[in-house]
């Protein structure tokens, strides 16, 4: 699917404005010129500049706003697209109660099964990849991932 650059630019511009609006509530640090909003503001302003460039380029192109791609006529491609989005929604809805490890392992197992990974590899791969991702984020990057039902076995 081909989307006109102006459409993408408007979406990115709205995103940058939302970031700028949200960081306006960040507290100032007394005695410092640079506060917690400095880096997000810089990134948001750069994103806004790029978005304006995309909008300018898209309006000048005068092409179609949306051109459907050939993958939209392919059943497996549409199925995979919808399944990926459903898995993301599932994770968002249940990860706090179920926890990261069971949710991510289930999502990966469903996606591996849909993509026709050999059945003998689905369970070890989904559990192994989930544990690796958990290790990287929870231990290495110190990102607090939800434990959910595994809270009694937290490590």
């Amino acid at each position: 699917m081909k989307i006109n650059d102006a459409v993408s630019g408007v979406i990115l511009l709205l995103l940058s404005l939302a970031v700028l609006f949200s960081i306006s509530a960040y507290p100032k640090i007394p005695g410092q010129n640079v506060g917690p909003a400095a880096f997000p503001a810089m990134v948001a302003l750069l994103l806004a500049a790029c978005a304006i460039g995309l909008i300018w380029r898209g309006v000048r192109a005068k092409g179609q706003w949306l051109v459907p791609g050939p993958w939209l006529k392919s059943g497996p491609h549409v199925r995979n697209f919808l399944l990926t989005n459903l898995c993301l929604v599932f994770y968002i809805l249940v990860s706090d109660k179920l926890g990261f490890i069971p949710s991510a392992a289930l999502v990966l197992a469903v996606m591996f099964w849909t993509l026709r990974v050999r059945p003998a590899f689905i369970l070890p791969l989904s559990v192994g990849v989930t544990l690796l991702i958990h290790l990287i984020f929870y231990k290495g990057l110190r990102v607090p991932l939800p434990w959910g039902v595994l809270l009694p076995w937290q490590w």
Side-chain angles (χ1 to χ4, degrees):
M1 177 172 308
K2 170 87 170 102
I3 299 174
N4 189 302
D5 286 341
V7 175
S8 301
V10 167
I11 292 169
L12 290 175
L13 184 61
L14 291 174
L15 175 66
S16 67
L17 292 174
V19 169
L20 289 171
F21 176 74
S22 69
I23 64 171
S24 66
Y26 284 9
K28 305 287 186 223
I29 298 177
Q32 290 188 1
N33 293 334
V34 177
F39 184 70
M42 181 179 66
V43 172
L45 290 173
L46 289 172
L47 181 63
C50 292
I52 291 169
L54 278 173
I55 293 169
W56 176 258
R57 189 168 114 178
V59 169
R60 281 191 27 223
K62 296 180 185 175
Q64 293 179 323
W65 291 97
L66 183 66
V67 178
W71 69 271
L72 282 172
K73 295 179 180 140
S74 168
H77 288 97
V78 172
R79 179 198 67 216
N80 292 344
F81 174 78
L82 292 174
L83 181 73
T84 301
N85 287 297
L86 285 173
C87 283
L88 288 171
V89 169
F90 169 80
Y91 178 80
I92 290 168
L93 293 176
V94 304
S95 66
D96 282 335
K97 290 189 190 248
L98 192 57
F100 172 80
I101 293 173
S103 302
L106 186 60
V107 164
L108 283 175
V110 167
M111 294 184 87
F112 286 152
W113 178 73
T114 303
L115 295 172
R116 296 189 177 106
V117 172
R118 279 194 250 170
F121 292 146
I122 290 176
L123 186 61
L125 268 177
S126 60
V127 170
V129 169
T130 299
L131 290 176
L132 178 65
I133 291 170
H134 187 273
L135 181 70
I136 291 169
F137 278 87
Y138 192 76
K139 293 290 187 181
L141 299 174
R142 303 210 183 272
V143 174
L145 297 172
W147 281 98
V149 297
L150 297 178
L151 188 58
W153 298 284
Q154 181 179 0
W155 43 280

